[in-house]
Amino acid sequence: MGIIRKTESVEILLNEFHDTETALSTIELIKRLGKRINKTTIYRVLSKLEEDGILHSFLGFDGVKWFARCKACTRSQHSDVHPHFQCISCGKTECLEVKVNIPKLTNREVLISQFIIKGKCNLCVA
Amino acid sequence: MGIIRKTESVEILLNEFHDTETALSTIELIKRLGKRINKTTIYRVLSKLEEDGILHSFLGFDGVKWFARCKACTRSQHSDVHPHFQCISCGKTECLEVKVNIPKLTNREVLISQFIIKGKCNLCVA
DNA sequence: CAGTTATTAAAACTCAGTTGCAAATATAAG
DNA sequence: CTTATATTTGCAACTGAGTTTTAATAACTG
């Protein structure tokens, strides 16, 4: 249904994504905000922000859901189709501004795709 | 630690993968075999078969774990790096025999990558 | 300001996956 | 073949991410 009312929860959550390009897991957000916002609300607001094309989500290697800011998505179309990188050392998870070429598949209709890469990030690779 | 003894559980599970190229979820395997093998054992045998390079695993869009036969993997190296396709209509999930080009990432070390595509399979696309 | 409707918190629940431990069984040694 | 021992199994209880239900609360509309 998307966001209709500007509530405190929405504002607080949007704020967490405002000053960062990196993705945040639901777990991390609950850890940070769990005392101010109920976890049920956190889950609901996140999924509404996704519906609205403000955030996009993906599953990390551990099966936990991550969210990150969209750059050029709208409510009707999520156009953020890029790989996500998860660092095994520091845990930082980020969107990669790289084009993915989805392989041509004969006789199949592609709807969504997800590409996750695990490794060491620029700071941890040393 | 991998498989050391040839037990009935190992044989039954290997058999499920013997006559199919498609992937099987842990949920499906527990549904099929849960009366013959305890679910704990199913989970344990699957992960040992993965260690041995006989099966490989990946997470579906729902966060459930899927397993499929490896083609050219060994205990020391899992070389099955291909996309997986999950059909939204019939649920069939399969390995795609397509090469994925992992984008060149400067200053980063890539360890594992996972590419999942969701859509309609050749039978359901009609 | 009052009425309507979306949003929230809280608690209980779901369900995939894990853990600890005692009993069972495959394999190696004698 | 029998015994010793180390792996494997089943069971029950647990973990933890995410969901559902319901009553109370807060944002918008007129």
Side-chain angles (χ1 to χ4, degrees):
Chain A
M1 202 166 60
I3 298 272
I4 294 179
R5 295 182 180 177
K6 282 212 175 134
T7 64
E8 205 189 343
S9 310
V10 172
E11 218 163 303
I12 292 171
L13 271 161
L14 275 178
N15 215 44
E16 290 295 318
F17 289 94
H18 195 262
D19 40 339
T20 178
E21 287 287 305
T22 62
L24 296 168
S25 68
T26 50
I27 306 307
E28 172 64 21
L29 287 167
I30 289 168
K31 210 180 290 169
R32 285 191 201 172
L33 307 173
K35 272 164 192 158
R36 292 209 280 163
I37 316 176
N38 185 278
K39 72 168 179 169
T40 316
T41 304
I42 294 177
Y43 282 113
R44 267 186 302 227
V45 170
L46 287 173
S47 76
K48 285 186 176 187
L49 289 171
E50 187 172 20
E51 277 181 64
D52 287 340
I54 295 165
L55 300 178
H56 62 278
S57 74
F58 55 95
L59 290 181
F61 278 92
D62 47 1
V64 167
K65 208 166 185 181
W66 291 75
F67 286 86
R69 272 228 310 282
C70 291
K71 294 216 158 153
C73 298
T74 64
R75 185 155 184 173
S76 51
Q77 172 132 33
H78 263 284
S79 54
D80 268 337
V81 183
H82 49 244
H84 292 98
F85 187 92
Q86 200 161 20
C87 179
I88 56 160
S89 297
C90 67
K92 187 171 71 180
T93 300
E94 49 195 338
C95 305
L96 294 177
E97 300 304 324
V98 177
K99 200 173 181 301
V100 178
N101 16 5
I102 298 167
K104 269 249 152 56
L105 302 177
T106 48
N107 295 324
R108 266 181 265 239
E109 190 187 342
V110 172
L111 294 172
I112 316 173
S113 72
Q114 210 178 266
F115 195 175
I116 309 181
I117 300 170
K118 201 173 183 174
K120 287 192 180 173
C121 76
N122 49 345
L123 295 172
C124 295
V125 79
Chain B
M1 198 169 61
I3 297 273
I4 294 179
R5 296 183 180 177
K6 283 207 174 139
T7 64
E8 205 189 344
S9 309
V10 173
E11 217 164 303
I12 292 171
L13 270 162
L14 275 178
N15 217 44
E16 290 294 318
F17 288 94
H18 196 262
D19 41 340
T20 179
E21 286 286 305
T22 61
L24 296 169
S25 68
T26 50
I27 306 305
E28 172 65 21
L29 287 166
I30 289 168
K31 211 181 289 171
R32 285 192 200 172
L33 307 172
K35 272 162 192 160
R36 292 209 278 163
I37 315 174
N38 186 279
K39 71 168 181 170
T40 313
T41 305
I42 294 177
Y43 281 113
R44 268 185 299 222
V45 170
L46 287 173
S47 78
K48 284 187 177 185
L49 289 171
E50 186 171 21
E51 276 182 63
D52 287 340
I54 296 165
L55 300 179
H56 62 278
S57 74
F58 55 94
L59 289 181
F61 279 92
D62 46 1
V64 167
K65 209 167 183 179
W66 292 74
F67 286 87
R69 273 226 311 284
C70 290
K71 294 214 158 155
C73 298
T74 65
R75 184 156 185 171
S76 50
Q77 171 132 34
H78 265 283
S79 54
D80 269 338
V81 183
H82 49 243
H84 292 97
F85 187 91
Q86 200 162 19
C87 178
I88 55 159
S89 297
C90 68
K92 187 171 74 182
T93 300
E94 49 196 338
C95 306
L96 294 176
E97 299 305 324
V98 177
K99 199 173 183 299
V100 178
N101 20 2
I102 297 167
K104 271 248 151 58
L105 302 176
T106 49
N107 294 324
R108 267 181 264 239
E109 189 186 342
V110 172
L111 295 171
I112 316 172
S113 72
Q114 210 177 266
F115 196 175
I116 309 181
I117 300 171
K118 201 173 183 176
K120 287 191 180 176
C121 75
N122 48 345
L123 295 171
C124 295
V125 79

